[in-house]
Amino acid sequence: MYAFSILASLLAVVSASPAPMPDGTIGVPEPTIGPCTDSIKPHAHIVATPDTTLVAGLQLTYDTATSGRASLTTGGYYTLWDFSNGGVAVKPDCGPTAPWLNIDPVATEYKPLYWNKTQITTNWSASYGNDLVALETKQYNTTSTFIACKRLSVAKSTPWYLFLLTPTTVPLASAPSLRGFDTTTCVKTRLTVELLTYPFDL
């Protein structure tokens, strides 16, 4: 009985071993990387530029305190991005693409940027290593200039809230879309999509 048990154990080991390849070598399966392994996928921020602006280096993100307004902070999205169909969206490693960065279609000047589960804006031009550009529409010409402003009710620290700057003669202080914001804090900026990097390169 003991000898039979040993024989059965040896047969189990042999049957579990990798099958020989045609050349007689043992084939070892290559390790695979799961689709949700964040640490091995490249990511990028969208940051405020140039270096001379007061908000330089701050990163684009979602502000939960204002129901999804686009803002700049020191801890913004570090992710893959979806630039399909003239859009800009967070592209998580797991799950569907969302949220999408949209331009308020109602405001006539100083258009607020906000995040939504669905894509509304389809005239973004964006790619890694380049500025975010809003292409020409019936309402405004092509522009890559934004303004970042503080809310009246918050401290002087971040976040800064983002608006697309379109040609207008309306003073900041008189713009309906800027009610509730401290227009004396507003600064011009661009938004630049960084080149992709791996998390362990930082």
Side-chain angles (χ1 to χ4, degrees), residues 107-112 147 163-166 168 170-172 175 177-178:
T108 54
E109 71 283 314
Y110 311 112
K111 295 177 174 293
I147 60 170
F163 303 78
L164 182 70
L165 181 58
T166 58
T168 180
V170 177
L172 288 170
S177 60
L178 289 172

Side-chain angles (χ1 to χ4, degrees), residues 57-81:
L58 295 181
Q59 302 152 9
L60 180 64
T61 193
Y62 179 109
D63 185 62
T64 56
T66 54
S67 301
R69 287 292 300 268
S71 61
L72 294 172
T73 70
T74 55
Y77 282 121
Y78 180 57
T79 182
L80 289 170
W81 297 91

Side-chain angles (χ1 to χ4, degrees), residues 18-90:
M21 301 295 284
D23 61 0
T25 60
I26 298 298
V28 179
E30 293 185 6
T32 57
I33 297 172
C36 300
T37 309
D38 293 354
S39 62
I40 53 80
K41 289 193 174 185
H43 296 74
H45 295 107
I46 296 181
V47 298
T49 56
D51 292 342
T52 52
T53 183
L54 186 61
V55 294
L58 295 181
Q59 302 152 9
L60 180 64
T61 193
Y62 179 109
D63 185 62
T64 56
T66 54
S67 301
R69 287 292 300 268
S71 61
L72 294 172
T73 70
T74 55
Y77 282 121
Y78 180 57
T79 182
L80 289 170
W81 297 91
D82 186 345
F83 302 128
S84 61
N85 302 316
V88 173
V90 175

Side-chain angles (χ1 to χ4, degrees), residues 46 82-84 86-88 123-128 130-133 193:
I46 296 181
D82 186 345
F83 302 128
S84 61
V88 173
N123 63 306
W124 288 122
S125 174
S127 59
Y128 294 108
N130 293 295
D131 289 345
L132 181 61
V133 178
V193 186

Side-chain angles (χ1 to χ4, degrees), residues 4-22:
F4 178 79
S5 299
I6 293 178
L7 178 61
S9 299
L10 289 174
L11 288 173
V13 171
V14 171
S15 63
S17 300
M21 301 295 284

